[in-house]
């Protein structure tokens, strides 16, 4: 599809540690020039994992998120360490660090782009089965995370009730549920 919207320039207004806040100079189809906000994820994104315990329950993490000023229930996830690694490595690392479990196998489940209107971040979501405990979590200094296990149906109920709103978590649980029913 052809489009007449053109980016004429992009300037980094504020360089962050993970994100750059940018101003894009855009030419609209009418010829009008506007400035738009754009968030540039420096590493492009990361990975998320749906960890399924041998009894079928899904291992979730609970943590406080300052951006929304509340505790959230999420799937383990994190940003890539390097510019272009295999995101399954990121998914395995986050599983081990945040839950204290490792997995026997990890399979691609779904790919998402978090907010295409203003950000380039993507998340590759994986399914991890044959989980085995490795001991303790290896959390970052700022992380306070509790791992908890839930039945798939309970997580679906919480999604539909609006209790779980994190995009990567909703996408991962829904993709896993659809996979099991197909």
């Amino acid at each position: 599809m052809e489009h007449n919207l053109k980016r004429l320039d992009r300037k980094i207004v504020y360089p962050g540690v993970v994100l750059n806040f940018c101003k894009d100079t855009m030419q609209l189809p009418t010829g009008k020039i506007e400035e738009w906000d754009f968030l540039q994820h420096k590493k492009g994104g990361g990975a998320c994992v749906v960890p399924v315990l041998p009894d079928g329950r899904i291992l979730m993490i609970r943590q406080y998120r300052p951006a929304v000023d509340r505790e959230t229930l999420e799937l383990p996830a994190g940003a890539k360490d390097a510019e272009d690694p295999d995101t399954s490595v990121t998914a395995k690392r986050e599983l081990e660090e945040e839950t204290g479990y490792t997995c026997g196998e990890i399979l691609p489940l779904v790919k998402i782009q978090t907010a295409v209107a203003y950000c380039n971040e993507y998340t590759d979501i994986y399914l991890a089965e044959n989980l085995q405990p490795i001991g303790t979590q290896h959390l970052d200094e700022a992380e306070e995370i509790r791992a908890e296990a839930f039945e798939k149906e309970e997580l679906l109920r919480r999604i539909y009730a609006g209790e779980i709103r994190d995009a990567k978590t909703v996408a991962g649980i829904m993709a896993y549920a659809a996979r099991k029913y197909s």
Side-chain angles (χ1 to χ4, degrees), residues 63-66 98 138-145:
Q63 65 182 323
Y64 173 74
R65 291 293 196 175
E98 294 184 352
H138 301 286
L139 302 176
D140 294 338
E141 185 179 24
E143 290 179 320
E144 293 178 289
I145 294 175

Side-chain angles (χ1 to χ4, degrees), residues 3-176:
H3 58 85
N4 294 313
L5 182 66
K6 295 179 186 150
R7 180 174 57 228
L8 303 176
D9 192 27
R10 172 170 288 159
K11 289 188 173 104
I12 296 174
V13 177
Y14 179 81
V17 175
V18 177
L19 301 170
N20 287 330
F21 184 85
C22 302
K23 283 286 185 187
D24 284 355
T25 303
M26 303 296 296
Q27 181 177 16
L28 307 184
T30 62
K32 181 179 176 184
I33 305 294
E34 289 187 351
E35 294 219 339
W36 290 7
D37 296 336
F38 174 73
L39 290 175
Q40 179 185 49
H41 194 290
K42 288 185 168 185
K43 295 178 183 176
C48 175
V49 61
V50 180
V52 182
L53 292 163
D55 66 5
R57 293 178 302 149
I58 298 171
L59 200 55
M60 304 286 289
I61 60 168
R62 189 179 297 276
Q63 65 182 323
Y64 173 74
R65 291 293 196 175
V68 293
D69 193 27
R70 69 180 182 89
E71 190 175 79
T72 61
L73 189 61
E74 304 173 40
L75 291 169
K80 299 185 301 183
D81 274 341
E83 285 300 320
D84 199 21
D86 176 356
T87 55
S88 69
V89 173
T90 303
K92 287 178 186 177
R93 181 193 74 230
E94 293 298 324
L95 174 65
E96 291 180 14
E97 288 177 2
E98 294 184 352
T99 69
Y101 279 79
T102 189
C103 63
E105 61 182 322
I106 192 160
L107 304 167
L109 195 54
V110 68
K111 295 174 177 279
I112 63 169
Q113 288 186 280
T114 314
V116 295
Y118 59 86
C119 186
N120 68 331
E121 180 186 25
Y122 70 87
T123 304
D124 293 340
I125 304 174
Y126 293 88
L127 171 61
E129 297 181 304
N130 302 316
L131 297 185
Q132 299 170 4
I134 57 169
T136 61
Q137 298 166 301
H138 301 286
L139 302 176
D140 294 338
E141 185 179 24
E143 290 179 320
E144 293 178 289
I145 294 175
R146 291 188 324 273
E148 301 175 23
F150 293 87
E151 297 291 336
K152 175 184 61 193
E153 291 74 20
E154 172 65 11
L155 294 173
L156 291 170
R157 183 198 67 72
R158 287 175 181 237
I159 288 169
Y160 291 122
E163 296 170 24
I164 296 175
R165 297 182 222 154
D166 173 60
K168 70 186 177 316
T169 300
V170 172
I173 298 298
M174 299 300 279
Y176 174 68

